[in-house]
Amino acid sequence: MIVVHGTSDVPAGARGGAFAIGNFDGVHRGHQALLRSATEQATALGAPAGVILFEPHPREFFQPNKPHFRLTPLERKLELLEQFGLDAAVVLRFDAALAGLPAQEFIERIVVDALAARHIVVGYDFHFGKAGGGDPETMRRPGEALGFGVTVVAQVGEAGEVFSSNAIRAELAQGDVTGAAQMLGHWWRVSGKVIGGFKRGTGLGFPTAN
């Protein structure tokens, strides 16, 4: 999978494809519906399948002083996305410039000029552009004139519960790892750095990782 940071120098293999757009925190079963739609559209078009995602999470940008529980750091997110057979991942830095970009300019500069997208897949609750002014219909309306199609994926859930990153965070906060895994479609993983300590556990015959 080609990973592209920004849109200033996008290789040919990441242009002209079908792209799902979102944050994809957790790459849960709702996200997976978008990925399947993007790969299906790409196959029908004979084009690359990809995703457009934002780093850091917009919530971290708008609320920098508030702790944010990320389900999947970027590295893990890219690992999961690659498992769905995607050809490219375009990582857009979410900063003041991107946050202030009007929805129409986002479409023209990124979707059309930088990526030459032939199809876009978004979720039913997707918002983009300055002050969240763009929605699925905003994306759909100019598509025909600008040369790309749009698929809007309805909410995905089970037993009356919608799969969402917030719902999964709530499950994990309550210690329900199995419940979170059911919504994720895979086991949640946490990673960290092992550092040297006082080695007291080794001295007691029970070495530990810090």
Side-chain angles (χ1 to χ4, degrees), residues 45-68:
L45 292 167
V51 292
I52 301 170
L53 53 93
F54 308 100
E55 181 67 26
H57 193 290
R59 190 175 298 171
E60 294 180 36
F61 172 80
F62 288 116
Q63 300 175 325
N65 298 320
K66 185 175 180 179
H68 178 60

Side-chain angles (χ1 to χ4, degrees), residues 66-136:
K66 185 175 180 179
H68 178 60
F69 179 6
R70 293 189 64 165
L71 297 171
T72 44
L74 180 60
E75 183 178 359
R76 173 61 176 159
K77 188 184 299 184
L78 293 173
E79 288 177 3
L80 290 167
L81 291 169
E82 188 169 19
Q83 293 175 13
F84 286 89
L86 299 174
D87 300 296
V90 179
V91 183
L92 301 181
R93 178 168 179 76
F94 199 91
D95 54 15
L98 187 59
L101 192 66
Q104 186 63 29
E105 289 190 42
F106 179 94
I107 294 170
E108 293 173 357
R109 293 188 190 180
I110 296 173
V111 174
V112 177
D113 294 344
L115 300 177
R118 296 174 64 187
H119 201 92
I120 292 295
V121 179
V122 295
Y124 70 99
D125 57 350
F126 176 66
H127 285 83
F128 67 105
K130 185 177 180 179
D135 59 16

Side-chain angles (χ1 to χ4, degrees), residues 133-202:
D135 59 16
E137 189 58 31
T138 308
M139 184 70 73
R140 192 200 304 271
R141 280 197 302 269
E144 185 174 347
L146 295 174
F148 63 89
V150 176
T151 296
V152 181
V153 176
Q155 63 180 214
V156 180
E158 190 173 74
E161 186 167 26
V162 177
F163 300 139
S164 73
S165 299
N166 283 337
I168 294 164
R169 292 186 191 104
E171 294 282 1
L172 290 170
Q174 296 171 23
D176 188 355
V177 179
T178 300
Q182 289 173 345
M183 287 191 279
L184 283 165
H186 54 84
W187 289 106
W188 182 65
R189 181 188 299 178
V190 63
S191 60
K193 189 178 293 185
V194 177
I195 61 173
F198 293 106
K199 303 190 184 301
R200 291 173 178 149
T202 300

